[in-house]
Amino acid sequence: MKKQESIYRHPSQSFRSPFHSFIFLLSILFFRWISFEHGAAVGALMITSKSSTLALERFQAWNNNNAKSIESSTTLLEFVVRQEDLHDDENDRISRLSHFAATKAFTNALQSSNAANRACRSGNLMLNQAKVSGARRVKAGDTITYLNDKSDRRTNVPDDPDRAERFINARLRLVDTLSEKGFSHSPLRVLYEDHCMAVVCKPAGIHSMSWSGSFGKSLCLDEILPLLLEPPGTSPGVGKDNNIEEIFRDTDDESLPAPLPRHRLDRRVAGPVIVAKSRKASVEIGRSFEEKRVTKEYRAIVVGKVEIPQADSVLYNNSTSFTIHSDVDGKPSETFVVILGQTSCHVNRLLTDLKLFPRTGRKHQLRIHCANVLGTPILGDDLYH
C-alpha cells in the first residue's frame, strides 16, 4: 500500500477532495481489525430496553428532521440532456442512463450508479416518461425524471399503539443483544460520529442492509441505526463551541430520512461500516467506493497451510505476499494476500492467519479465492468449506 498524505478538513467545509481524503483516512483507520478490537465508543448514547420513550423520541427526531427537508425540496426532479453533457463517443460509459443520472443529472440525490439502477427498476428513474433499464443509452434531447421519495420505513413508527410497541421493542432488544460484550468480540457500537456521517462497528450475525426478503423476518443493521445515531444538526463530535445547526445549514445539505450504510459486510463478518446521515455525504461516500478510492483490509483465519499457487491467476510478490487474479461468477476479480503466520490446531491440524485486500467487490470474493484458488477455506465457512 502506498503511503498517502492529506490535510484533514471537515466535510462541512467541502465535499470534494478534502472529504475524499477524509474517507481514505477513515478506511485506513477503521477497516483495520485492530481498530474495532480496541476502538472506543463515541457518539450517541446506547439505548436500553427500558428506554422505549427515548427510542420513540429518537425515531420522531429523524422523521421531524426529514420533514423539514421534504418541505423545502422538490420531490420530482427533471433533467434535459444536452449534447455538451455527452462525450463524443456515445458508447462511453457516461451515456448509460444509470451512470449519467448519478454523475451528471442528479448528483445530489443519487449516490451511485447502483442507486440509479435500483431507481430504474422501481420506476422512480425514467427516460422520456418510460420505465427503462439503467443500461439504456441517453442522447441529446432526452428528458430524465427522478422521483426523489424521501419517506423511509426505517423511521416510520406505526400509528397503532400495539404495532408501535412491537416495532420499538424488537429493535431495542436487538440493540441490547448486539451491544453485549459477551455476545461478540466486536459488539455493536459507534466508533465515530459527526453531523453528516458515522462509523459503526457491525457484529457478526446481522446483515448490513435490509431487503425485500428480510422484511418481517429479521432485522438488519440499517433498521436499528436510528437508535444509535443522532439526526444531522444534533450530533456530537464537531465541538462544543460550534453551532451544529448553523454548520449543517451552511452546507446546503439535507438530512437523510434514516442513517444509510454506504457499503455492506457479509452477515458472518464483523467490522466497521461507514454510514451516511446527509445526502451530500451519502453521494460522496458512495462515489469513493464506486471509484475505488477506499482501501479495505480484512483479517481471516484459513484452514491449512497457504502455499502460493504456481498459476497464471496468481502474481507472486515475495514469500509472504501475492495477488490473486481469478474470475468470480465470470467477472474479473482481484485480491492482494499477505501471510501473517501459522498455528497448529487439534481439529484442523494447521491454521493460517491472512490479511486480505479485495481490489474488486464481487459477492463472496474473499471466501471463493481462499477456498477455490488457495485451497484453504476460511475457518467456519459453511458455503465453500
Side-chain angles (χ1 to χ4, degrees):
M1 294 172 56
K2 295 181 179 179
K3 183 179 180 181
Q4 296 200 12
E5 297 181 357
S6 60
I7 299 175
Y8 169 75
R9 186 185 303 172
H10 196 271
S12 63
Q13 298 172 318
S14 172
F15 278 89
R16 294 302 169 189
S17 56
F19 185 81
H20 297 153
S21 300
F22 180 52
I23 291 297
F24 178 85
L25 290 174
L26 280 177
S27 71
I28 296 300
L29 292 173
F30 292 120
F31 274 99
R32 292 186 181 278
W33 182 273
I34 194 71
S35 67
F36 54 87
E37 280 288 311
H38 304 287
V42 178
L45 175 68
M46 195 66 71
I47 301 173
T48 68
S49 57
K50 299 178 181 178
S51 309
S52 58
T53 302
L54 184 58
L56 178 60
E57 291 175 355
R58 183 66 61 85
F59 282 116
Q60 290 174 339
W62 275 98
N63 262 325
N64 293 339
N65 220 44
N66 185 46
K68 297 175 184 177
S69 297
I70 292 176
E71 291 171 0
S72 61
S73 303
T74 303
T75 301
L76 183 65
L77 306 177
E78 182 177 287
F79 187 93
V80 178
V81 182
R82 303 166 301 175
Q83 186 60 50
E84 54 264 37
D85 296 322
L86 300 169
H87 291 183
D88 293 335
D89 180 7
E90 293 214 357
N91 289 323
D92 191 81
R93 185 185 181 197
I94 186 63
S95 63
R96 292 186 180 183
L97 175 59
S98 59
H99 190 73
F100 186 89
T103 61
K104 290 278 187 179
F106 310 119
T107 56
N108 289 331
L110 289 169
Q111 300 90 352
S112 64
S113 297
N114 288 334
N117 278 319
R118 290 193 296 270
C120 286
R121 289 194 293 269
S122 67
N124 286 344
L125 182 63
M126 303 179 74
L127 181 65
N128 299 324
Q129 299 184 344
K131 183 178 178 180
V132 297
S133 164
R136 178 70 67 87
R137 302 285 179 179
V138 300
K139 59 184 184 299
D142 283 344
T143 299
I144 306 172
T145 54
Y146 176 52
L147 182 62
N148 196 9
D149 184 6
K150 298 176 183 177
S151 62
D152 199 293
R153 58 175 179 77
R154 288 168 292 193
T155 52
N156 287 336
V157 179
D159 294 329
D160 178 75
D162 291 337
R163 292 182 59 202
E165 184 178 4
R166 290 195 298 270
F167 178 95
I168 291 174
N169 287 342
R171 285 153 178 77
L172 285 171
R173 283 194 298 269
L174 181 59
V175 169
D176 283 348
T177 300
L178 297 179
S179 303
E180 292 177 4
K181 292 184 178 180
F183 172 81
S184 169
H185 66 280
S186 54
L188 175 70
R189 63 192 187 276
V190 179
L191 299 172
Y192 172 86
E193 182 179 11
D194 63 28
H195 65 277
C196 63
M197 64 176 290
V199 179
V200 176
C201 180
K202 184 193 87 68
I206 183 174
H207 288 283
S208 301
M209 286 285 290
S210 54
W211 73 102
S212 57
S214 71
F215 298 160
K217 297 179 182 179
S218 61
L219 292 172
C220 303
L221 178 66
D222 63 317
E223 296 175 286
I224 59 175
L225 285 176
L227 293 176
L228 304 177
L229 305 176
E230 296 278 359
T234 60
S235 301
V238 178
K240 293 181 180 179
D241 296 332
N242 292 330
N243 187 322
I244 306 300
E245 292 186 4
E246 282 297 328
I247 292 176
F248 184 70
R249 187 158 47 244
D250 288 345
T251 65
D252 192 28
D253 200 356
E254 296 178 14
S255 168
L256 288 172
L260 180 65
R262 293 308 292 123
H263 61 101
R264 299 170 187 261
L265 293 179
D266 284 352
R267 180 173 63 86
R268 298 166 181 82
V269 177
V273 174
I274 299 179
V275 179
K277 295 167 50 173
S278 72
R279 293 196 178 276
K280 283 189 177 180
S282 182
V283 169
E284 295 301 334
I285 295 170
R287 286 181 185 158
S288 295
F289 279 100
E290 191 171 82
E291 296 170 6
K292 297 180 174 59
R293 286 185 273 112
V294 177
T295 300
K296 299 181 183 180
E297 177 183 320
Y298 292 78
R299 289 286 294 275
I301 297 175
V302 298
V303 178
K305 181 179 180 180
V306 174
E307 302 280 0
I308 301 178
Q310 301 299 314
D312 293 338
S313 61
V314 176
L315 180 62
Y316 177 84
N317 185 31
N318 56 45
S319 60
T320 60
S321 64
F322 54 94
T323 302
I324 298 173
H325 297 273
S326 180
D327 290 1
V328 173
D329 294 333
K331 298 178 180 178
S333 305
E334 181 179 336
T335 303
F336 180 66
V337 181
V338 177
I339 302 172
L340 297 177
Q342 299 173 348
T343 185
S344 58
C345 174
H346 292 300
V347 177
N348 297 289
R349 299 183 64 181
L350 189 68
L351 300 176
T352 303
D353 188 10
L354 300 178
K355 273 187 184 181
L356 302 173
F357 298 84
R359 292 172 176 166
T360 51
R362 312 304 179 200
K363 183 177 180 180
H364 296 166
Q365 174 179 318
L366 300 182
R367 298 160 74 176
I368 291 173
H369 280 177
C370 287
N372 297 350
V373 178
L374 301 181
T376 54
I378 294 176
L379 182 66
D381 187 352
D382 56 357
L383 289 180
Y384 302 97
H385 189 180

